[in-house]
Amino acid sequence: QKEVEQNSGPLSVPEGAIASLNCTYSDRGSQSFFWYRQYSGKSPELIMFIYSNGDKEDGRFTAQLNKASQYVSLLIRDSQPSDSATYLCAVNDDYKLSFGAGTTVTVRA
Amino acid sequence: DTGVSQDPRHKITKRGQNVTFRCDPISEHNRLYWYRQTLGQGPEFLTYFQNEAQLEKSRLLSDRFSAERPKGSFSTLEIQRTEQGDSAMYLCASSYPGTSGGGEQYFGPGTRLTVT
């Protein structure tokens, strides 16, 4: 499987702040990039996907992709306690996904 | 669209027993994937189907694991002669062919297996 690295956590941010999550991947040929949110004891939930260089915004989430640097990030604006979870970065490897180990985010009130 | 469903949600078994898990994908999705996740790690790919054809199986997957998708709808994952190292969350996902790669994959709730 392709290597996907995420910045080690845990990441603690105050309520209302921006949480910034980073991910690098090994295969320059990767085409599809995904962010999943996983609450403790639950399965991963797809929250963002991005296929082209640049930014993609959806509500309080922004995904950023830089294929030249093999880097994808997720910004969570106006962080809420409900955003406390583990965020998984995934990259396509043909039709399957290769995942990073995840970054745990805690939003403190 | 009722989402991906998996059954059972939890399974406790004794070492050496066989277990079988079922996954029902989102109805219009023709691709179905099985992953395994252990604590502190991201999901690890096991195998995937396009319709009823099993197109790829992880090289890391023991011969004790087998999966089927007989009519291109639901899938089963069987583990024979379970070992304690098989304890994990088994996740099923499905997707519709996207513009790039395999498309967006949506996960079911998972089956948590504990081997005692």
Side-chain angles (χ1 to χ4, degrees), chain B residues 11 18 41 54 72 90:
Chain B
K11 179 70 176 179
N18 298 345
Q41 300 299 315
Q54 186 174 19
Y90 289 83

Side-chain angles (χ1 to χ4, degrees), chain B residues 1-20:
Chain B
D1 182 354
T2 58
V4 179
S5 61
Q6 292 187 246
D7 184 72
R9 299 288 300 276
H10 303 273
K11 179 70 176 179
I12 300 174
T13 192
K14 293 186 176 181
R15 185 167 53 92
Q17 297 295 305
N18 298 345
V19 294
T20 300

Side-chain angles (χ1 to χ4, degrees), chain B residues 65-112:
Chain B
F65 288 71
S66 63
E68 293 183 340
R69 193 182 183 197
K71 296 184 179 179
S73 56
F74 72 92
S75 175
T76 58
L77 177 69
E78 181 183 17
I79 309 174
Q80 296 182 326
R81 304 181 303 281
T82 53
E83 302 173 357
Q84 288 189 319
D86 296 331
S87 296
M89 174 81 89
Y90 289 83
L91 295 162
C92 177
S94 69
S95 72
Y96 189 80
T99 57
S100 185
E104 298 89 53
Q105 294 185 24
Y106 295 89
F107 283 88
T111 295
R112 183 168 297 283

Side-chain angles (χ1 to χ4, degrees), chain A residues 91-102:
Chain A
V91 175
N92 80 291
D93 178 0
D94 290 330
Y95 298 115
K96 60 187 180 287
L97 295 179
S98 292
F99 284 84

Side-chain angles (χ1 to χ4, degrees), chain B residues 32-47:
Chain B
L32 186 149
Y33 309 79
W34 286 98
Y35 293 85
R36 175 174 62 189
Q37 186 178 26
T38 54
L39 196 62
Q41 300 299 315
E44 173 190 34
F45 169 77
L46 296 179
T47 189

